[in-house]
Amino acid sequence: MSPISIAQNNDAIYGQQTKSLKSFDELLQKIQKLFESNEIDVDQLKQLMQSYESNPADWIKYVNLSKERYTRVLIDGGNGKYNLMLLCWPANTGSSIHDHPDSHCILKVLAGTVSEVRYCWPKDSYKDDHCDGGIGGNDDHHKNGEEEGMIIADENRLQTQNVAYINDSIGLHRVMNPDPTMPAFSLHLYSPPFDYCRIFDEKTGKYQTINVGFDPKEIEAVKYRVKRRTAAANNSNCDINHHHHHNHPHQNSFGSKDVLVFEMDHNPKHRQQQQDGKTRS
Ligand SMILES: N[C@@H](CS(=O)O)C(=O)O
Ligand SMILES: [Fe+2]
């Protein structure tokens, strides 16, 4: 796969006149279109995210709200170039302090209000991975046994429609939905995608590496399975003695047409497997 180079152009002129996007699908398509290129302007991405006017009816179908923790629902795997996901924050929940391994992270609040607290990297942690390369091995980087509390760099309250951006060179963060009763929802775009990150202890600055996955959305609707069969099997009018179409790629040797048959799948286990497969693609 070719590497994606992401340009950061602070003088970007894009979006000065960005018209607002009223449809979530249009946003998804525009993001896909942008990523057709191998050089993507982050500012352009931010502006795209900014330009979408959140309407819960658009994205409610992705919602998967847990009772006690935030959930991550994959919307678009971006052909390996990015992950676009809906994060569902129950009342009074938050993430641990974490990094975004070499990824650009653009976040848009779709509903509710979230607070973002930014932290400086604890001494040596950033350098460790970026100079020595490689995660894993020894997660204890406080060689002299000294422990240091983490330093808050910044605190932002993000309202519905607001967009925030972070990457490892900016620092670490923790996102929270402080509301005691209302859930919050945010749209996150990560490029390139990552499936692990580091979480940090606020008091000691020590970290551990964890895997981050997706929460498959429960499917309410009946899904279809696709089966392939030939029309000859259930079409008595088919004349199997006529061979004049045998060069056609969709004709089998008996001259009947291959058709796709959609079949309802009533087995909930299959449905779950299908969904699992989809969210990991
Ligand atoms: N980066 C976090 C969400 S957030 O707190 O920014 C994640 O991908 O799960
Ligand atoms: Fe994050």
Side-chain angles (χ1 to χ4, degrees):
M1 189 182 304
S2 54
I4 311 159
S5 83
I6 299 196
Q8 278 196 75
N9 177 9
N10 293 325
D11 305 319
I13 46 154
Y14 305 102
Q16 278 179 355
Q17 289 293 323
T18 315
K19 72 167 172 51
S20 71
L21 289 180
K22 294 246 156 65
S23 135
F24 192 66
D25 286 343
E26 202 182 339
L27 174 66
L28 301 192
Q29 280 161 23
K30 292 223 156 137
I31 292 171
Q32 280 167 4
K33 192 106 191 98
L34 258 188
F35 274 93
E36 279 173 12
S37 158
N38 277 337
E39 187 160 327
I40 292 120
D41 189 312
V42 171
D43 288 323
Q44 214 174 350
L45 273 175
K46 288 182 207 170
Q47 262 137 28
L48 254 187
M49 295 277 274
Q50 189 84 62
S51 67
Y52 168 61
E53 277 180 43
S54 176
N55 173 10
D58 291 348
W59 43 263
I60 195 133
K61 63 179 178 214
Y62 298 107
V63 168
N64 179 15
L65 204 56
S66 129
K67 282 199 183 77
E68 67 281 334
R69 60 172 179 95
Y70 82 89
T71 47
R72 310 167 90 238
V73 181
L74 184 66
I75 296 172
D76 188 351
N79 278 324
K81 286 182 169 180
Y82 64 93
N83 275 344
L84 184 72
M85 62 190 84
L86 179 71
L87 266 56
C88 308
W89 306 88
N92 215 1
T93 55
S95 50
S96 306
I97 303 170
H98 60 271
D99 68 352
H100 305 86
D102 289 324
S103 184
H104 296 261
C105 159
I106 304 165
L107 173 172
K108 182 190 177 85
V109 182
L110 294 181
T113 303
V114 301
S115 90
E116 185 206 21
V117 183
R118 295 192 166 184
Y119 293 84
C120 306
W121 282 87
K123 221 197 254 164
D124 295 338
S125 298
Y126 185 55
K127 205 182 70 198
D128 278 349
D129 272 351
H130 289 259
C131 296
D132 303 335
I135 299 250
N138 186 9
D139 268 4
D140 181 359
H141 290 263
H142 294 266
K143 294 160 190 97
N144 303 324
E146 45 183 280
E147 294 187 346
E148 286 166 43
M150 293 182 64
I151 297 162
I152 293 180
D154 204 2
E155 206 162 340
N156 308 305
R157 234 183 147 69
L158 305 169
Q159 314 284 348
T160 304
Q161 310 296 359
N162 286 172
V163 170
Y165 169 81
I166 193 167
N167 67 35
D168 284 354
S169 69
I170 293 171
L172 307 165
H173 77 175
R174 179 211 291 282
V175 171
M176 280 166 292
N177 170 21
D179 197 285
T181 53
M182 297 287 287
F185 299 92
S186 52
L187 183 67
H188 293 233
L189 189 144
Y190 299 119
S191 182
F194 57 86
D195 53 16
Y196 65 87
C197 73
R198 289 189 281 173
I199 55 172
F200 293 76
D201 184 290
E202 187 168 17
K203 290 208 177 70
T204 64
K206 288 191 176 184
Y207 67 77
Q208 47 180 313
T209 304
I210 60 153
N211 289 315
V212 287
F214 297 111
D215 297 283
K217 169 106 179 64
E218 288 296 321
I219 310 164
E220 288 94 37
V222 176
K223 286 286 170 210
Y224 292 90
R225 277 195 302 177
V226 179
K227 272 199 165 180
R228 202 177 176 80
R229 72 172 188 224
T230 63
N234 65 349
N235 183 353
S236 56
N237 291 329
C238 190
D239 184 354
I240 61 166
N241 294 316
H242 288 174
H243 291 272
H244 51 275
H245 287 312
H246 66 276
N247 282 331
H248 192 284
H250 297 299
Q251 303 277 322
N252 66 22
S253 55
F254 297 103
S256 61
K257 233 198 264 174
D258 279 340
V259 293
L260 288 172
V261 180
F262 293 89
E263 203 177 62
M264 285 233 223
D265 186 359
H266 293 287
N267 185 337
K269 219 170 148 200
H270 288 162
R271 284 189 260 142
Q272 196 56 49
Q273 280 162 1
Q274 279 188 344
Q275 183 71 2
D276 284 353
K278 224 201 281 170
T279 54
R280 297 227 168 95
S281 64

